[in-house]
Amino acid sequence: PKGKVSIIPMPASITEKQDSFLLDKHTVIVATGEADRKTAALFNAWLKEFTGYELDIKETGDRNAITLHTGNDSTNAEGYTLNVDNKGVTINGNSGAGTFYGIQSLIQLLPVQKADAMYIPGVSITDAPRFAYRGLHLDVGRHFFPVEFIKKYIDLLAMHKYNTFHWHLTEDQGWRIEIKKYPRLQEVASKRKETMAGHYTENNQQYDGKPYGGFYTQEQVKEVVKYATDHFVTVIPEIEMPGHALAALTAYPNLGCTGGPYAVGTRWGVYDDVYCAGNDSVYAFLQDVLDEVLPLFPSKYIHIGGDECPKVRWEKCPKCQARMKQEGLKDAHALQSYFIQRMEKYLNSKGRQIIGWDEILEGGLAPNATVMSWRGIEGGIAAAKQHHDVIMTPGSYCYFDHYQSQGHNEPLAIGGYTPVSKVYSYEPVPAELSKEEAKYIKGAQANLWTEYIANTDYLEYMVYPRASALAEVLWTPAGKRNYDNFVDRLKVHVKRLDQKKVNYAKHVFEVTGAVTDNKKGGVEVKLDSKLD
Ligand code: NAG
């Protein structure tokens, strides 16, 4: 009764054996040390939820056992080996993360159906990720999602061996993190009067007339970060500057060039009103905000945004103009660069590093910044050539707010067309880079912007199975990737998503064949309204 081996992401090396291991209620988990016992407990919790089993966790034992052991190999910390034969299961992690990933693979070897005796197919796996940074982002500014859902999002990340959750916490349409020193961020910036309905139209925009709001308390943020840490997921918070700041300006109008009044955004798109770059109270405000944010997030990286900052206010603002003169800045791009560099200096002084969207290249890159390349891959190439770390998130492969099928009942999306096959075909290292430069590509990330995504069912529909595909891009050696084989495994994998009650998109695997033209992205269909 040997089950089929069907792991996503595909391990670096896997050999199947003839025999199998029978997990029954006498099986024990052998784990010594706190970290291994914690991981054993997570595995046990999973077993209990989905199979009804609960195993004893012991310090020693060698018969009928699942044995965890964590070593200390910092060169390949997330790697592990997993051996299954008729005598037992052994996981050797190179670090706590490695052991945890060994468990994730083991979970995927278990039968999906409930059974009294569960056969685990014999395998010998040696595994480690291709990329160090494997991320998924979530915009909670446009729409807000509760803590319980964020935890489920993190569960699914961990299941797919993602290690980073990029939490986009501030936006024009809502500020979502409690900052105690600035109560109006909670009272004013976290709420909007209403929300635009449908796509943007120039003349006759409709609104829903319903107030909308929400924010996470610092206690809730701590709870999420702890949960993520237990699942070996790092949470990177994003506090946007100097653009996408209309909600904050509404709460504190002195932070803008004109002094307002402002109103928290109710339509999607880019707003002209941004933080004033000539006003020292803006830097003081942002430093105060970061002083409350940093203790909540142990992450080495803090995302400072940097995208889509119109310069029209700065061009007319006496304070911004004075600042440019005083600092010898030749144009508004240089002023943006000044802004980012000043905030980088502050964060570096607190032992943190910044990540910014690729616009931070304009006017000169801050000395230690990591660049997130979203407007295609050019920003990533430029940054790598300047020996800066890069995370690739090009829109045409990594934006999961795009349509994924041309089916008739697709819910309204922002546009674009990025089926799962196209995501799977993505190659994060641009061919333009030399071998040396390629080392600066730390990994990739999918972004989920939620302008059109107002509930968690729709959210999961947009993310899965595309995130399953990107997980394999990020983890599996490039040469081992094969779309048809992936789809075969995906058909098993979705049963695991069913177990977790994930509302994944169900009709998208065979939409198109694998897209092989990595560089140009093959199919590119622009859609700007509901498909019909
Ligand atoms: C961009 C914006 C983002 C928006 C998204 C929609 C970035 C870095 N910036 O216009 O605020 O939600 O695309 O796809 O993506």
Side-chain angles (χ1 to χ4, degrees):
K2 204 166 142 312
K4 213 173 141 201
V5 176
S6 180
I7 298 173
I8 290 180
M10 173 69 104
S13 152
I14 177 165
T15 313
E16 296 192 35
K17 298 178 189 165
Q18 286 305 317
D19 51 354
S20 53
F21 175 71
L22 179 62
L23 188 152
D24 59 26
K25 54 179 185 293
H26 305 295
T27 304
V28 296
I29 308 176
V30 177
T32 47
E34 206 195 312
D36 282 352
R37 276 203 299 276
K38 218 161 150 187
T39 297
L42 285 176
F43 177 58
N44 228 355
W46 185 91
L47 277 177
K48 196 175 170 196
E49 184 174 354
F50 297 113
T51 70
Y53 275 73
E54 200 170 358
L55 307 179
D56 281 343
I57 301 175
K58 296 197 163 160
E59 294 268 329
T60 52
D62 52 11
R63 293 190 44 233
N64 195 2
I66 297 168
T67 305
L68 310 187
H69 181 260
T70 297
N72 195 0
D73 170 3
S74 59
T75 52
N76 209 353
E78 294 181 305
Y80 67 93
T81 60
L82 165 60
N83 272 287
V84 180
D85 58 31
N86 56 18
K87 292 190 211 66
V89 175
T90 318
I91 292 172
N92 281 303
N94 293 345
S95 71
T99 306
F100 180 79
Y101 291 139
I103 287 287
Q104 296 310 312
S105 293
L106 176 62
I107 285 174
Q108 295 196 21
L109 289 173
L110 288 166
V112 194
Q113 272 83 23
K114 251 190 187 167
D116 283 339
M118 289 184 287
Y119 284 93
I120 304 179
V123 286
S124 168
I125 292 175
T126 303
D127 202 7
R130 179 176 171 206
F131 290 102
Y133 185 107
R134 305 179 303 279
L136 218 55
H137 147 289
L138 182 62
D139 163 20
V140 295
R142 274 58 177 263
H143 284 101
F144 179 75
F145 305 97
V147 166
E148 279 318 302
F149 177 77
I150 303 293
K151 288 184 182 171
K152 185 181 178 193
Y153 200 75
I154 289 167
D155 280 344
L156 294 170
L157 256 75
M159 170 183 178
H160 291 87
K161 303 188 174 86
Y162 282 97
N163 62 4
T164 308
F165 171 46
H166 170 173
W167 205 1
H168 183 82
L169 287 163
T170 70
E171 257 307 335
D172 294 311
Q173 297 86 359
W175 181 287
R176 306 282 177 228
I177 178 169
E178 177 190 28
I179 302 295
K180 297 187 175 166
K181 187 163 185 184
Y182 295 99
R184 284 176 60 81
L185 291 175
Q186 286 73 255
E187 289 154 18
V188 175
S190 77
K191 300 170 188 160
R192 62 176 177 256
K193 191 174 127 228
E194 57 188 358
T195 303
M196 70 182 251
H199 276 131
Y200 182 68
T201 50
E202 199 115 332
N203 299 317
N204 186 28
Q205 187 61 53
Q206 303 292 305
Y207 290 85
D208 67 1
K210 292 186 208 138
Y212 188 90
F215 67 90
Y216 304 100
T217 64
Q218 293 193 1
E219 281 313 304
Q220 289 175 317
V221 170
K222 280 186 206 158
E223 190 185 326
V224 167
V225 171
K226 174 165 192 320
Y227 190 83
T229 307
D230 286 346
H231 292 77
F232 294 91
V233 169
T234 300
V235 186
I236 298 182
E238 179 178 354
I239 305 296
E240 272 260 24
M241 60 191 82
H244 286 287
L246 187 57
L249 299 193
T250 308
Y252 296 98
N254 65 307
L255 303 176
C257 293
T258 65
Y262 306 106
V264 178
T266 55
R267 65 156 176 85
W268 315 129
V270 174
Y271 289 87
D272 286 343
D273 286 299
V274 301
Y275 290 119
C276 174
N279 181 349
D280 281 331
S281 347
V282 166
Y283 301 97
F285 166 80
L286 288 169
Q287 290 177 9
D288 287 344
V289 166
L290 289 168
D291 285 347
E292 291 194 34
V293 167
L294 297 187
L296 300 172
F297 295 93
S299 159
K300 174 176 155 198
Y301 294 99
I302 303 293
H303 203 303
I304 49 73
D307 62 316
E308 298 182 324
C309 178
K311 312 291 186 300
V312 287
R313 296 290 185 258
W314 292 359
E315 304 279 9
K316 295 217 168 80
C317 167
K319 286 195 187 109
C320 289
Q321 292 304 314
R323 172 83 57 184
M324 285 168 67
K325 219 180 243 151
Q326 172 200 330
E327 299 287 335
L329 306 169
K330 72 171 194 310
D331 58 18
H333 292 300
L335 183 57
Q336 169 168 301
S337 172
Y338 165 87
F339 194 116
I340 300 294
Q341 294 201 33
R342 188 163 162 176
M343 294 313 298
E344 177 183 69
K345 217 179 250 163
Y346 186 72
L347 283 163
N348 286 172
S349 80
K350 304 277 167 190
R352 308 300 179 104
Q353 299 289 320
I354 65 163
I355 302 181
W357 301 108
D358 58 50
E359 285 91 333
I360 67 168
L361 280 151
E362 294 161 5
L365 210 43
N368 308 311
T370 296
V371 172
M372 225 172 227
S373 187
W374 72 281
R375 296 174 303 173
I377 62 174
E378 289 72 23
I381 294 170
K385 285 190 186 290
Q386 293 176 42
H387 297 180
H388 280 252
D389 285 348
V390 172
I391 293 145
M392 298 301 281
T393 68
S396 55
Y397 293 94
C398 297
Y399 270 44
F400 291 175
D401 56 345
H402 289 185
Y403 287 103
Q404 61 188 315
S405 123
Q406 307 204 46
H408 289 278
N409 299 315
E410 277 303 286
L412 187 72
I414 201 161
Y417 180 57
T418 308
V420 61
S421 57
K422 186 172 179 191
V423 175
Y424 194 83
S425 75
Y426 181 51
E427 170 46 51
V429 179
E432 288 84 343
L433 296 181
S434 71
K435 222 173 152 201
E436 263 315 298
E437 291 161 348
K439 289 187 185 142
Y440 292 97
I441 308 293
K442 294 298 163 194
Q445 171 176 293
N447 296 330
L448 192 71
W449 302 102
T450 57
E451 285 95 333
Y452 296 93
I453 302 174
N455 65 64
T456 55
D457 273 352
Y458 182 21
L459 198 161
E460 290 180 345
Y461 178 89
M462 296 304 271
V463 177
Y464 289 95
R466 288 188 286 196
S468 310
L470 189 68
E472 195 149 304
V473 170
L474 289 169
W475 182 278
T476 307
K480 287 200 82 176
R481 262 197 274 153
N482 175 304
Y483 187 64
D484 293 333
N485 179 281
F486 170 72
V487 169
D488 278 347
R489 280 176 288 121
L490 195 52
K491 287 174 184 161
V492 178
H493 192 73
V494 293
K495 294 183 193 148
R496 300 179 192 124
L497 297 178
D498 281 330
Q499 267 185 333
K500 291 278 297 171
K501 298 195 170 52
V502 179
N503 186 46
Y504 59 90
K506 296 184 177 59
H507 51 277
V508 294
F509 315 155
E510 287 102 354
V511 193
T512 56
V515 178
T516 46
D517 180 4
N518 284 345
K519 214 175 125 221
K520 277 263 154 33
V523 242
E524 186 68 46
V525 184
K526 276 278 165 205
L527 302 161
D528 47 23
S529 64
K530 187 175 179 313
L531 288 160
D532 45 33

